[in-house]
Amino acid sequence: DGHSAAPQLLSLMAQFAKLAEDDPESREVNFSVSKDGLLELCQALKTNTHLVQLSVRLQEPHVFDRELVHALVEVLSPHPAIRNLRLNSCNLTGECIASLANLLKATTSLVSLNLDNNPMGPEGAIALAAALKDNATLKRIDLDACGVGAAGAAALGDALAFNNTLEIMTLGGNEIGDDGVKALCEGLKANTKLERCDLENNAITDVGVTALMEALAINMRFNHCFLYGNPYNQELRPAIDAMLDDATRAAWASGEVADTKPACEIPLNQ
């Protein structure tokens, strides 16, 4: 009700004020806001230089649109300190992601972007892939449950052939299938930086796993691949394990560490 909402609003405005005043203690913030609240946040960030980690969700029934994404991109692109951005479960469509991709083209500080559980589809993944070709800061991107599909995976694979900074990419639950994995692996063969790609629950069979093993034989830097929940022949597991450098890599491939996936953010001290 109005009585309970008032203190929350005051607290939110106080946090915005600290950001606008460039309080050096306000380095990590997590907001659930209305559309107007997000615009107020963007206004506050115009004078901020210390924020390192930002997590945003819109309160129901508000949804992200291109206007909001543009406002966020406009203020974060020149921000000198922002490293981690979380926009997971924000109902971001492919059109919104296409606008957000402009951030990757302009930022000089962002190292981690979490977009898990957004209905971007292949359109959004293709837009991100185009931006990743030129991005020189991002080390991690999370795209679990985004409807990437085979076409989106192919675009991301193409981007991997050009990108020299990305170390971790998560693509779990995206209906990539064997065709998507094969296309992704073509880029992986040419990539020299990616260390981990999560591919759990993607309907990957022996065909896709074989393509992955071929990529592993060429790309020796790649050392973690999470394949839990895929219907490939388990008789291939020994062959996969043999291609992994250590016990940790073998465990990731077999799904034995399914409950210990690292957090989405890259530590702030990196």
Side-chain angles (χ1 to χ4, degrees), residues 9-233:
L9 179 60
L10 289 174
S11 174
L12 194 62
M13 297 309 292
Q15 292 182 70
F16 287 172
K18 284 186 177 182
L19 290 174
E21 293 164 3
D22 206 14
D23 179 4
E25 299 299 318
S26 297
R27 300 181 72 240
E28 302 176 38
V29 294
N30 185 342
F31 292 120
S32 176
V33 295
S34 65
K35 180 175 181 177
D36 288 342
L38 181 58
L39 293 174
E40 289 286 341
L41 170 62
C42 290
Q43 186 65 32
L45 289 176
K46 288 183 177 180
T47 53
N48 180 276
T49 63
H50 286 91
L51 184 65
V52 174
Q53 181 169 303
L54 173 63
S55 179
V56 176
R57 288 191 183 183
L58 286 183
Q59 298 168 347
E60 297 292 346
H62 303 281
V63 296
F64 267 92
D65 55 28
R66 293 190 68 180
E67 176 192 3
L68 291 180
V69 174
H70 176 74
L72 201 57
V73 169
E74 187 175 46
V75 73
L76 291 181
S77 291
H79 197 286
I82 189 72
R83 291 173 63 81
N84 304 325
L85 177 62
R86 293 177 60 93
L87 295 173
N88 53 305
S89 303
C90 284
N91 200 34
L92 291 165
T93 63
E95 184 179 44
C96 289
I97 295 295
S99 294
L100 183 65
N102 290 318
L103 174 61
L104 297 183
K105 298 176 182 178
T107 183
T108 59
S109 61
L110 193 68
V111 297
S112 178
L113 177 62
N114 187 318
L115 296 172
D116 284 348
N117 197 32
N118 281 296
M120 68 177 70
E123 176 188 357
I126 290 170
L128 289 172
L132 284 172
K133 286 184 178 181
D134 298 319
N135 176 271
T137 65
L138 206 67
K139 294 183 178 180
R140 173 167 187 153
I141 188 166
D142 289 83
L143 299 173
D144 289 342
C146 288
V148 168
L156 290 168
D158 187 44
L160 287 178
F162 296 88
N163 183 279
N164 293 312
T165 57
L166 198 64
E167 297 176 359
I168 300 172
M169 179 164 59
T170 73
L171 289 168
N174 272 296
E175 302 177 1
I176 289 172
D178 292 330
D179 287 343
V181 171
K182 287 193 291 184
L184 192 66
C185 287
E186 287 304 309
L188 188 58
K189 291 175 183 177
N191 182 271
T192 59
K193 195 68 175 179
L194 195 74
E195 297 180 1
R196 170 183 153 199
C197 184
D198 294 355
L199 295 169
E200 73 272 24
N201 300 310
N202 268 301
I204 301 169
T205 71
D206 298 4
V207 174
V209 170
T210 299
L212 181 60
M213 288 174 14
E214 291 173 357
L216 281 171
I218 295 172
N219 187 333
M220 301 307 294
R221 185 177 180 88
F222 189 74
N223 56 44
H224 287 83
C225 186
F226 192 50
L227 290 170
Y228 183 77
N230 286 296
Y232 66 95
N233 188 340

Side-chain angles (χ1 to χ4, degrees), residues 195-196 198 222-227 237 240-241 243-258 260-262:
E195 297 180 1
R196 170 183 153 199
D198 294 355
F222 189 74
N223 56 44
H224 287 83
C225 186
F226 192 50
L227 290 170
R237 280 181 53 180
I240 298 172
D241 293 351
M243 300 192 73
L244 299 175
D245 290 339
D246 51 39
T248 301
R249 293 182 70 180
W252 276 87
S254 65
E256 293 172 5
V257 291
T260 58
K261 289 182 66 177

